[in-house]
Amino acid sequence: MFCMTLYKVQPRDVAVVWFRRDLRLADHPALTEAIAAARTVLPLYVLDDRLLTGAAPARSWFLRESVAELDRELRERGGGLLVRRGDPTVVVPEVARAVGADVVLASSDVTSFARARDAAVAAALERDGRSLVLSDGLLLADPDRVRTGAGRPYTVFTPFWRKLQQEPRRPLLPAPTSVPTTPEHLRGSVELGREQPPLPDLPLPGEAAAQERLERWVADGLAGYGAGRELLDGSGSSRLGADLHFGTLSPLQVESTAQELGAGAEAFTRQLAWRELYHHHLYHQASEPRRPSSLASAFRSEADDPAAVSAWRDGRTGIPTVDAAMRQLASTGWMSNRARLITASFLTRHLLMDWRIGERHFMAHLVDGDVANNRGGWEWSAGVGLDAQPWFRILNPVRQGQRFDPEGAWVRRWIPELAGVPGRYVHAPWESPEAVAGYPAPIVDLAEGRARALEAFRAATRRD
Ligand code: FAD
């Protein structure tokens, strides 16, 4: 079961609300439920080193700062956030025992890590006669309800989207005006010193900034999303990924605010549905593992060509759209969807590298890195995932650049070596009659790389 029905919690004195990927007060079913059912509510966040170690610095910073912002918002409402560091399976039952709470409320999550953690916390609480109650808040719809007529999870986007559109939504919940927390319950909280962002141009963390971002996006950007989302410079999309990942906004808030615009919002809500599909897929994978793809045997490991993988990571492949995207990622923790598609296609097709190399690299850098969406995007690009890109479709990074960065302003911004290269050569500098100082020649001939990938994929599908 994905989550419990709302308002199952019996009236009680103290309830703990354990925040995780839901760092907001508005549209928070578990918090609303706790306030309705308990005289005192203790908001808790557990800093879990397993999640912080190895995460992209941009993402760790956004998380810690959003937790600090949540504390600030709670204090303004007469409460505060108890922040502890440690293993939640130990800390959560310890806190519940210390404050005499017989129930801990939280929002459901879908990753195998989160589900194993929640099962262990629930078991530890139960041994003490307490319980963990999970509500929704991470998704638009319950994955157990969005199934095909035969009761199976969807594996194809369009019918999934149709079904998702028909699913009733729960009502949006306002932020509580006060959160009745007892000050002594907050004693011993970890001090969250505010830190400077590790990279420039990161989104401002916290719920208030996220709300502002959403409203500005709907007012100024959303109407142009259909075409704008393809632009390589990223100026045509919402940049709400970190908010949706850490829950400074709920997907329901994003969807319903966008829908106020009317028909123009459809292209955007369709993309939210891809997020939903990938999250549902991860949820179902625990019980229904995916059949391995026949293409998997075609890919090479990093040991087969470490220099090519390093060149890809460092933005020195000699292919401008790929290099600009990889340098933008390293410098800002972000790149547009179109840039993600091009870099993923180049790694998995022209270089024929295992998609998991790219999946790991993106998770180590993206501010909006998200297990479900990142895995979904990489598997789709490699042709091994849900409703994936067919193996014979290979993006040409030169033509993609000419189409989605027609003036070359974006590649020149991230590759200063190309500053003086005229527009007609900027996406293929090797064709320029003038030598381009300091920029490498392509590490792979695009036509040869393409032909090698097609041959390898053809052979792999024949072996199936
Ligand atoms: P917008 O276009 O404004 O979309 C709004 C939100 O909808 C996004 O923030 C995201 O939550 C969701 N969304 C949009 N497109 C997709 C999509 N194709 N799949 C799933 N969700 C989508 N998205 C992540 O959130 N985290 C990742 O780690 C991630 N890794 C990716 C890796 C690859 C190889 C690819 C091809 C795509 C990946 N995406 C990922 C999906 C998409 O590229 C990003 O969500 C989007 O570029 C983020 O920018 P935005 O917030 O401005 O998106």
Side-chain angles (χ1 to χ4, degrees):
M1 183 190 275
F2 179 63
C3 64
M4 309 286 291
T5 332
L6 279 178
Y7 306 108
K8 273 280 168 63
V9 180
Q10 298 304 311
R12 62 228 322 134
D13 279 345
V14 190
V16 172
V17 177
W18 175 23
F19 285 86
R20 297 101 63 90
R21 283 177 56 189
D22 45 3
L23 303 176
R24 64 179 180 275
L25 300 182
D27 199 38
H28 196 300
L31 178 64
T32 303
E33 186 175 356
I35 292 172
R39 274 196 295 163
T40 304
V41 172
L42 176 60
L44 167 70
Y45 187 85
V46 185
L47 289 166
D48 184 344
D49 286 328
R50 289 171 302 175
L51 287 176
L52 291 167
T53 317
R59 213 161 56 250
S60 295
W61 172 80
F62 189 91
L63 163 64
R64 291 178 66 99
E65 294 293 311
S66 294
V67 170
E69 278 294 303
L70 180 64
D71 180 39
R72 196 184 57 74
E73 299 272 357
L74 282 162
R75 280 173 201 275
E76 278 177 8
R77 289 164 171 81
L81 183 67
L82 174 65
V83 181
R84 284 279 167 82
R85 166 165 241 131
D87 177 352
T89 58
V90 178
V91 175
V92 176
E94 209 173 75
V95 168
R97 204 175 308 125
V99 301
D102 53 7
V103 65
V104 174
L105 297 101
S107 311
S108 304
D109 200 343
V110 293
T111 65
S112 52
F113 173 87
R115 292 174 74 190
R117 175 198 60 198
D118 290 355
V121 169
L125 287 168
E126 269 160 34
R127 281 196 292 279
D128 247 5
R130 305 172 207 279
S131 54
L132 177 67
V133 176
L134 296 175
S135 305
D136 40 32
L138 179 78
L139 299 174
L140 293 169
D142 183 339
D144 283 326
R145 285 182 50 104
V146 186
R147 287 177 174 264
T148 64
R152 310 263 318 141
Y154 283 94
T155 52
V156 177
F157 177 75
T158 304
F160 171 83
W161 190 39
R162 246 182 261 125
K163 175 83 175 165
L164 181 67
Q165 284 171 307
Q166 288 156 11
E167 249 334 272
R169 305 290 191 259
R170 61 174 174 76
L172 267 177
L173 300 166
T177 47
S178 78
V179 182
T181 306
T182 312
E184 58 265 27
H185 287 162
L186 297 170
R187 258 189 229 126
S189 193
V190 171
E191 282 291 323
L192 287 167
R194 308 300 295 258
E195 284 167 22
Q196 289 301 313
L199 297 172
D201 298 333
L202 291 175
L204 279 178
E207 180 177 10
Q211 272 295 346
E212 235 187 277
R213 205 160 22 248
L214 172 61
E215 280 156 27
R216 210 176 329 115
W217 159 248
V218 170
D220 302 340
L222 181 56
Y225 182 75
R229 68 180 288 263
E230 299 293 6
L231 297 176
L232 277 162
D233 65 9
S235 59
S237 72
S238 71
R239 306 232 179 170
L240 295 174
D243 297 313
L244 285 160
H245 176 71
F246 287 114
T248 44
L249 292 172
S250 77
L252 193 58
Q253 287 175 301
V254 176
E255 183 188 64
S256 56
T257 311
Q259 278 168 345
E260 283 165 19
L261 190 81
E266 190 168 298
F268 181 69
T269 52
R270 187 185 160 90
Q271 290 312 115
L272 291 176
W274 274 103
R275 172 188 185 272
E276 191 81 8
L277 176 64
Y278 289 144
H279 280 73
H280 286 211
H281 182 55
L282 212 55
Y283 169 77
H284 292 303
Q285 260 182 346
S287 46
E288 310 189 29
R290 192 167 55 82
R291 205 167 66 88
S293 162
S294 55
L295 283 194
S297 64
F299 297 98
R300 303 187 299 157
S301 74
E302 186 168 351
D304 290 324
D305 195 347
V309 176
S310 297
W312 179 82
R313 285 196 185 112
D314 297 343
R316 297 202 55 79
T317 64
I319 308 294
T321 45
V322 174
D323 294 345
M326 298 307 288
R327 294 183 194 189
Q328 182 181 16
L329 176 65
S331 301
T332 68
W334 194 83
M335 67 167 90
S336 67
N337 182 61
R338 179 55 50 188
R340 294 180 206 209
L341 291 169
I342 295 169
T343 49
S345 171
F346 184 76
L347 183 75
T348 58
R349 305 204 171 207
H350 290 99
L351 298 182
L352 204 56
M353 284 292 160
D354 191 316
W355 70 96
R356 285 163 288 206
I357 298 168
E359 187 185 337
R360 280 193 295 274
H361 183 76
F362 271 28
M363 283 309 278
H365 290 271
L366 280 172
V367 66
D368 62 19
D370 176 281
V371 170
N373 290 352
N374 191 46
R375 183 172 301 171
W378 275 98
E379 290 183 351
W380 187 90
S381 299
V384 300
L386 276 185
D387 205 359
Q389 165 105 310
W391 58 265
F392 46 82
R393 210 162 279 157
I394 298 184
L395 295 182
N396 180 317
V398 174
R399 279 209 289 279
Q400 291 282 307
Q402 289 161 344
R403 238 177 115 189
F404 301 118
D405 178 37
E407 308 297 322
W410 172 75
V411 289
R412 284 198 195 88
R413 169 160 185 216
W414 295 107
I415 312 176
E417 302 94 295
L418 299 180
V421 176
R424 65 187 278 228
Y425 299 120
V426 77
H427 290 294
W430 57 89
E431 288 175 359
S432 167
E434 310 275 328
V436 180
Y439 189 62
I443 59 168
V444 64
D445 177 275
L446 291 175
E448 282 169 20
R450 180 174 190 279
R452 174 179 63 174
L454 289 176
E455 183 44 44
F457 293 147
R458 209 171 280 124
T461 48
R462 271 201 300 266
R463 278 196 294 275
D464 193 22

